[in-house]
Amino acid sequence: MSDRQAAAATAQEMAGRQKEISVSEFFLKNRHLLGFDTPAKSLVTAVKEAVDNALDACEEAGVLPEITVEVRGRFERSWVAVEDNGPGIVESQIARIFGKLLYGSKFHKLSQSRGQQGMGISAAGMYGQLTVGKPLHIISRIEGEPLASELYVSIDTANNRPDIHKRKRIAWSRPHGTRVEMELEGVDQGGPHSVEAYLKLTAIANPHVSIIYKGPRGKELFFARACDELPPRPKEIKPHPGGVELGRLIQMLNGAKSRSLLQFLVDEFSCVGEKTAREIIQLAGKPLSERSYPAHIAHAQANALHRALQKARVQKPRPDCLVPIGEAQLLEGLRKELPAEFYTAATRPPASYRGNPFLVEVAIAFARPGEAEIDVDVASGRMRKKQSAESDPAPHLIARRDEPVRLLRFANRVPLLYQQSSCAITKSVLQTNWRAYGLHQPKGALPIAPMAILVHVASVWVPYTSEAKEAIEPYPELVREIKLGLQQCARRLSHFLQRERTLQHEYEQRAYIETYLPHIGVALQEILGLDDGTRDGVVARLDDALHANRAAKRRSS
């Protein structure tokens, strides 16, 4: 016996079931796209979004960031609070910023910033609302205001708009700043994907930041700032002609305020002056002219104009929209948080992909303290074996000697903790021939060495692989620049390794000679009839001569 099949739906019935889906409803069902997959990953993502917003706000307001992160949890349920000393938020904007997806100030401008899409912190609040049913709690105060604003905000997911549960004015000890509290399903699992590791990496890439972390089980850490100077503010730029796509060009033409095509090209694009604009119009051919009205340009003419924009010789995008960490600051950040025997860093010149400027920085920290076996005293030239330092109980970011190197990936100063294998940075490290620089590298794998490789990509628009911003698309231009930066640092590492090998060889030879020095002393005593004191003095002078020879070689090298 079989069940009766349901009657087939008519076109009218199917049309009646069609309904609009709000962006909040979509991401509510697909929260993994925003990085809220597992409780452990969700906790790190929520902290990351709040800290990124705090850092962006402080830097934009010209304030040295002081961030406090508190995490408490029990049975896969966590409470998170992130507080900053930024400029605060105007009360009328608080609900929209924290209770509406795709609402922000950075999406429509081309300048380097941590956030891009305007939905990170609101998505964290939506995840907490979904998993524990509690709204975000926000306290914010603007400098000069007598009281702070306190709001409890959730998202009306059906309409993608904020739902304010409570609003009042309260006294707050901080003169200006913002505090965000949320409860969510999350657990701090420790290790390289923990809140602690994320904050440590943030402190390395942002040496001007001080962070206090109050973790679960009473753990408290302080990441002190290494410099008291804010990075310069990146300048906003216009789209570069080489990177604009046809649909975007048509949209720009339809919304143009310029009354001529010549003026439109000069006003709306970066690196285009009147001479270049005339060349572009000439390349596009008739019927386009300098006096063509942009909003009246037809699709076929827009297509011709788009081809001309790709062919025209236009200057490279301006680099002043990028703010690199800088070699000196990178080394300061590494030395502060990542003790090692050898450091090097390199900053590549700006380049571009699809018209978007970007810049790559690479740094290497090699060997945990005490792992370099031989040390040489600069004055005396005496060589000795180093004592092994006690291992750090906290997660160490430098690999052990028999492990693959650790990759520290950053985009616009934000650590990337997940999707390592699909990231352009990983692919660039795998494609680099590390054997040429004295390291062991299995085929198609990361090199084996006690080393951490830091790669930072700064761009006005980082091409992430997903909305969760966990990995960078491996565009050929990006991979090429990263590989060049890696090779530059690897050459310096190769010189250091060569020196270490030379020291090891000399130490072995010297140890062999020193074994026979007492026998030489005894033989000289028997041949020359020396007393014991003179014999010991002769042996000591021979030993000093060996070390003095080493010191002379070191000074001349």
Side-chain angles (χ1 to χ4, degrees), residues 139-364:
I139 301 173
S140 188
R141 184 177 179 185
I142 300 174
E143 188 170 17
E145 288 200 346
L147 295 173
S149 303
E150 181 186 43
L151 284 88
Y152 289 82
V153 179
S154 62
I155 299 182
D156 174 358
T157 54
N159 300 297
N160 187 32
R161 64 186 180 194
D163 187 4
I164 302 174
H165 296 255
K166 192 187 295 183
R167 182 205 302 257
K168 64 178 179 180
R169 305 279 284 176
I170 61 168
W172 195 33
S173 58
R174 190 177 282 281
H176 55 87
T178 302
R179 179 182 176 87
V180 183
E181 297 178 7
M182 64 185 100
E183 282 189 52
L184 46 84
E185 186 180 287
V187 59
D188 188 24
Q189 65 177 8
H193 293 155
S194 62
V195 174
E196 180 185 335
Y198 161 73
L199 294 176
K200 189 168 190 170
L201 291 172
T202 301
I204 291 173
N206 301 272
H208 60 288
V209 176
S210 76
I211 303 175
I212 297 172
Y213 174 51
K214 300 175 181 176
R217 299 171 291 280
K219 187 170 191 177
E220 187 163 335
L221 297 171
F222 177 53
F223 302 96
R225 66 167 54 98
C227 67
D228 294 326
E229 190 176 345
L230 277 168
R233 289 182 60 188
K235 292 185 179 176
E236 185 178 347
I237 61 167
K238 294 172 183 171
H240 191 271
V244 70
E245 293 173 325
L246 178 59
R248 173 71 175 141
L249 176 63
I250 293 172
Q251 190 181 24
M252 292 170 68
L253 287 168
N254 291 334
K257 295 178 181 175
S258 307
R259 302 186 66 84
S260 71
L261 181 57
L262 180 74
Q263 198 59 43
F264 165 78
L265 292 172
V266 173
D267 289 347
E268 301 297 331
F269 287 100
S270 175
C271 306
V272 175
E274 289 194 2
K275 183 182 175 185
T276 308
R278 288 193 180 94
E279 289 176 4
I280 291 170
I281 294 168
Q282 192 173 4
L283 279 171
K286 291 183 178 180
L288 288 176
S289 70
E290 296 178 13
R291 300 178 63 184
S292 297
Y293 194 70
H296 294 169
I297 291 176
H299 186 276
Q301 296 163 354
N303 216 336
L305 180 62
H306 181 252
R307 286 196 297 271
L309 286 170
Q310 307 303 312
K311 288 180 186 174
R313 288 184 297 179
V314 184
Q315 285 182 346
K316 289 185 177 180
R318 287 163 37 195
D320 55 359
C321 55
L322 301 174
V323 181
I325 300 172
E327 292 181 15
Q329 284 75 18
L330 261 178
L331 294 175
E332 281 180 17
L334 283 173
R335 288 193 178 100
K336 182 169 68 74
E337 302 295 339
L338 214 63
E341 294 286 346
F342 170 79
Y343 301 92
T344 185
T347 299
R348 295 284 306 156
S352 68
Y353 75 92
R354 298 188 178 183
N356 296 310
F358 75 95
L359 179 148
V360 170
E361 294 177 286
V362 177
I364 285 178

Side-chain angles (χ1 to χ4, degrees), residues 193 201 205 406-427 429 453-457 465 469-472:
H193 293 155
L201 291 172
R406 301 270 163 80
L407 292 186
L408 313 181
R409 300 172 294 131
F410 295 86
N412 285 353
R413 296 175 181 253
V414 178
L416 307 176
L417 297 184
Y418 299 95
Q419 293 191 25
Q420 177 170 300
S421 60
S422 58
C423 184
I425 293 172
T426 308
K427 293 180 189 302
V429 174
I453 301 174
L454 184 154
V455 179
H456 173 230
V457 176
T465 56
K469 299 184 288 185
E470 295 167 340
I472 302 171

Side-chain angles (χ1 to χ4, degrees), residues 521-522 524-526 528-539:
V522 171
L524 288 172
Q525 184 180 26
E526 290 177 358
L528 303 175
L530 304 176
D531 55 33
D532 289 349
T534 307
R535 178 201 64 195
D536 293 343
V538 169
V539 171

